[in-house]
DNA sequence: GTAACTGCAAAATATTTGCATCCTT
DNA sequence: AAGGATGCAAATATTTTGCAGTTAC
């Protein structure tokens, strides 16, 4: 968990962005959605259901979080990141993502020790040539090992 | 699910290999371990717990399968493949894998439609340069979309 | 006012643990 | 014979579903 400080201007801008994103996806603006979206924006890594549950201080029902995440995935606001353990993690999509179509092609690093997920933005995922008949929708590179803090 | 036919010579060779692998890992040779290892050798994709359970016709207890898979992972016989849904899948390690150290660097393709996992052996995973302090242990490339049968 | 969202209860799934019994070596 | 492996029962954990009450627009 990390604590991040923002000055008011940025807070306000962020709040506006969040509202914008929800509106664009034709979702009603509710407390839980704003809060969860805000969490994603503050964390530059990926979040699991449990992270969100604890970060919000059990303010929202577990089921609401499940449903909110599912809705966000369907609307192309967030996407799941493959992990080798069975924890599902989510990260914000880039603007290019549209409903049902994710084009998020940066490398994710998962620390075996502390479990943190990092998005290594500046590393570009190379093109993969698939055999005939295979149609690619998404590609992820998952590197695991020990992070710089462990 | 696929049906595969082997002539006796190959069956015998496979049986021998399986025993070898178990011996090398200092594991006792039991029915469930042989059967599960055989399943991995016959499938050239990856298997989930549920696949194994149904392929063996519920011959073995669910718990035994969990424990066998866990043991195999610890011994470096199989490894987990990251997936975006929460299903954990396993695939045979290459010989270079040693206990606790996996070097399996081919691309996996997961079909969003039928759920099958393919190992695209002939596509090499490119090297990824990590920022300082990050130590890489494993790297996976997960491509998802529609497979040639769907 | 209406449709959509949330919370609670409960069902359905998935995974782990303890222990007695059985099997491999 | 001894240690490890298995099966069963049960405890946990995770995710999904139904429904009634509440909120956003």
């Amino acid at each position: 968990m990390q604590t991040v400080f923002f000055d008011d201007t940025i807070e306000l801008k962020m709040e506006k962005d969040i509202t914008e994103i929800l509106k664009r996806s034709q979702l009603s603006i509710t407390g839980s959605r704003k809060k969860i979206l805000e969490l994603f924006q503050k964390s530059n890594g990926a979040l699991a259901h449990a992270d969100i549950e604890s970060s919000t201080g059990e303010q929202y029902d577990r089921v609401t979080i499940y449903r909110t995440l599912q809705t966000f995935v369907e609307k192309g606001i967030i996407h799941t990141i493959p992990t080798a353990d069975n924890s599902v993690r989510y990260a914000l999509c880039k603007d290019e993502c549209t409903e049902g179509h994710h084009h998020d092609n940066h490398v994710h690093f998962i620390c075996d020790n502390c479990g943190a997920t990092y998005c290594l933005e500046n590393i570009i995922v190379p093109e993969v040539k698939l055999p005939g008949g295979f149609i690619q929708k998404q590609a992820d590179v998952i590197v695991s090992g020990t992070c710089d803090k462990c």
Side-chain angles (χ1 to χ4, degrees), chain A:
Chain A
M1 202 72 51
Q2 57 186 341
T3 314
V4 190
F5 299 95
F6 296 95
D7 66 52
D8 290 357
T9 345
I10 298 177
E11 275 287 8
L12 276 173
K13 184 185 180 303
M14 185 168 272
E15 161 83 17
K16 183 152 173 293
D17 283 353
I18 287 169
T19 305
E20 292 277 291
I21 293 170
L22 292 174
K23 273 187 184 156
R24 202 186 314 148
S25 301
Q26 299 172 303
L27 294 173
S28 40
I29 322 266
T30 67
S32 63
R33 285 177 179 167
K34 281 198 290 188
K35 183 75 185 176
I36 293 175
L37 209 38
E38 187 191 335
L39 276 179
F40 275 109
Q41 294 197 330
K42 285 190 179 174
S43 98
N44 43 6
L47 299 174
H49 180 279
D51 296 330
I52 294 167
E53 205 175 338
S54 60
S55 301
T56 51
E58 277 81 28
Q59 190 182 356
Y60 301 105
D61 195 86
R62 188 184 271 99
V63 176
T64 299
I65 299 174
Y66 277 116
R67 288 197 269 228
T68 302
L69 289 171
Q70 191 178 300
T71 303
F72 283 179
V73 170
E74 282 163 10
K75 292 294 185 178
I77 299 172
I78 61 176
H79 65 279
T80 56
I81 296 174
T83 53
D85 56 348
N86 31 349
S87 71
V88 192
R89 292 180 207 211
Y90 303 86
L92 275 184
C93 288
K94 297 299 165 46
D95 289 337
E96 311 96 67
C97 289
T98 54
E99 195 161 334
H101 247 275
H102 298 295
H103 305 282
D104 208 62
N105 62 347
H106 57 263
V107 175
H108 289 107
F109 184 93
I110 298 173
C111 180
D112 293 332
N113 189 239
C114 67
T117 304
Y118 300 85
C119 296
L120 306 177
E121 298 278 357
N122 40 0
I123 298 173
I124 291 155
V125 178
E127 285 284 317
V128 173
K129 270 246 156 57
L130 296 173
F134 285 80
I135 298 157
Q136 169 172 345
K137 198 194 253 167
Q138 188 176 349
D140 293 88
V141 178
I142 310 299
V143 180
S144 61
T146 314
C147 77
D148 58 347
K149 294 198 186 69
C150 291

